[in-house]
């Protein structure tokens, strides 16, 4: 299992290295004047958020905007539409939504609990390994759920992220460890991946919706 996840991470980082490099330089900016926090009700004001350190709040605001875009794309889909697969090698929209929750859950364990990737207990693996890996098992097992099921799972995981982010400061987000091909990778980069990953699957969701003529 661990090797598969390392391969996935290598693919992500190799293809987003430039974007990531651009983003992770942001913590070097001077926030001495403490930019005012954006109103919680506005998802289009990217920046510091009340209750969070400046960089963590800025990252969270980006994640919140992306999540809202995903929700808008899927909130009215039926169970049949959520289970639809273009072919026998594709993932359904429902499976991808649960995959987003699984990805975020595993990055919580890695960054908040400081666990080496894949070392979590069997109970966690039983709940999240299939949606994390997708593939044939995902196509077999992730089906027959309403949109409320998927959105609730995603919300539950996101609430943990928000709670844990609030406990940390901008020095934490810059902590790094060997992660991508044994190269130093900081928490900012890891959580950027969670957001970028959601953007990637949103594009796939939109592609499938066009085939459904939704």
């Amino acid at each position: 299992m661990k090797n598969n996840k390392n391969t996935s991470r290598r693919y992500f980082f190799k293809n987003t290295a430039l974007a990531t490099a651009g983003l992770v330089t942001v913590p070097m900016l001077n926030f001495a004047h403490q930019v005012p926090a954006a109103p919680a009700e506005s998802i289009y004001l990217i920046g510091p958020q009340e209750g969070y350190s400046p960089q963590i709040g800025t990252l969270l605001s980006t994640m919140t905007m992306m999540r809202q875009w995903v929700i808008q794309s899927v909130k009215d889909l039926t169970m049949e539409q959520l289970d639809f697969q273009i072919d026998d090698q594709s993932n359904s929209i429902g499976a991808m939504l649960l995959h987003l929750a699984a990805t975020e859950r595993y990055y919580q364990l890695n960054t908040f609990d400081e666990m080496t990737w894949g070392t979590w207990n069997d109970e966690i693996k039983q709940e999240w390994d299939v949606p994390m890996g997708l593939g044939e098992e995902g196509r077999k097992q992730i089906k027959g759920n309403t949109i409320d099921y998927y959105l609730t799972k995603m919300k539950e995981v996101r609430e943990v992220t928000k709670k844990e982010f609030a406990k940390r400061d901008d020095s934490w987000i810059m902590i790094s460890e060997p992660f991508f091909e044994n190269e130093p990778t900081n928490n900012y980069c890891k959580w950027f991946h969670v957001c970028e990953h959601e953007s990637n699957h949103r594009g796939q969701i939109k592609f499938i919706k066009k085939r459904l003529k939704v």
Side-chain angles (χ1 to χ4, degrees):
M1 188 67 193
K2 183 176 179 181
N3 288 337
N4 290 338
K5 300 303 171 295
N6 286 337
T7 299
S8 177
R9 290 199 303 274
R10 285 196 297 271
Y11 181 84
F12 155 67
F13 283 110
K14 184 174 293 183
N15 287 278
T16 58
L18 291 177
T20 301
L23 184 58
V24 297
T25 60
V26 174
M28 303 307 294
L29 297 176
N30 182 7
F31 278 93
H33 298 294
Q34 293 296 306
V35 178
E41 67 274 11
S42 176
I43 67 168
Y44 298 111
L45 295 178
I46 300 299
Q49 304 292 301
E50 185 175 355
Y52 300 92
S53 65
Q55 285 301 308
I56 291 177
T58 299
L59 175 62
L60 179 60
S61 70
T62 307
M63 293 169 62
T64 299
M65 182 179 70
M66 185 57 60
R67 175 57 54 84
Q68 286 302 113
W69 287 352
V70 170
I71 291 173
Q72 288 298 317
S73 296
V74 303
K75 62 184 180 67
D76 296 322
L77 296 182
T78 65
M79 185 184 299
E80 181 181 7
Q81 291 168 336
L82 290 166
D83 287 348
F84 173 77
Q85 295 175 201
I86 292 178
D87 55 43
D88 59 6
Q89 296 297 311
S90 66
N91 298 306
S92 68
I93 291 176
M96 284 190 282
L97 294 176
L98 200 58
H99 174 69
L100 295 178
T103 300
E104 185 165 349
R105 181 69 186 110
Y106 280 179
Y107 275 90
Q108 289 173 352
L109 295 169
N110 177 248
T111 62
F112 299 147
D113 297 337
E114 299 181 359
M115 299 181 70
T116 301
W117 195 271
T119 61
W120 20 90
N121 62 43
D122 289 340
E123 182 179 356
I124 292 172
K125 291 179 180 180
Q126 184 174 3
E127 180 177 6
W128 295 112
D129 267 6
V130 169
M132 184 66 188
L134 294 177
E136 186 61 31
E137 284 305 307
R139 286 185 281 274
K140 289 179 182 178
Q141 298 185 34
I142 307 174
K143 61 178 67 175
N145 303 305
T146 66
I147 189 58
D148 287 340
Y149 169 83
Y150 295 113
L151 295 185
T152 296
K153 285 286 189 180
M154 294 169 71
K155 183 177 180 180
E156 288 174 349
V157 173
R158 178 54 54 87
E159 289 302 313
V160 173
T161 297
K162 292 163 65 176
K163 181 179 178 180
E164 293 298 324
F165 272 173
K167 297 177 182 178
R168 291 161 171 81
D169 58 22
D170 286 352
S171 62
W172 172 83
I173 208 170
M174 295 304 293
I175 293 174
S176 66
E177 66 167 355
F179 195 70
F180 161 55
E181 296 183 348
N182 212 36
E183 290 290 332
T185 306
N186 60 19
N187 288 329
Y188 209 128
C189 184
K190 292 178 182 182
W191 282 97
F192 167 74
H193 172 40
V194 174
C195 185
E196 181 276 340
H197 189 72
E198 197 152 325
S199 175
N200 176 58
H201 284 292
R202 177 174 175 258
Q204 294 176 341
I205 289 169
K206 292 174 69 177
F207 174 84
I208 293 174
K209 283 183 63 178
K210 287 183 179 180
R211 271 61 190 171
L212 291 169
K213 298 181 179 180
V214 177

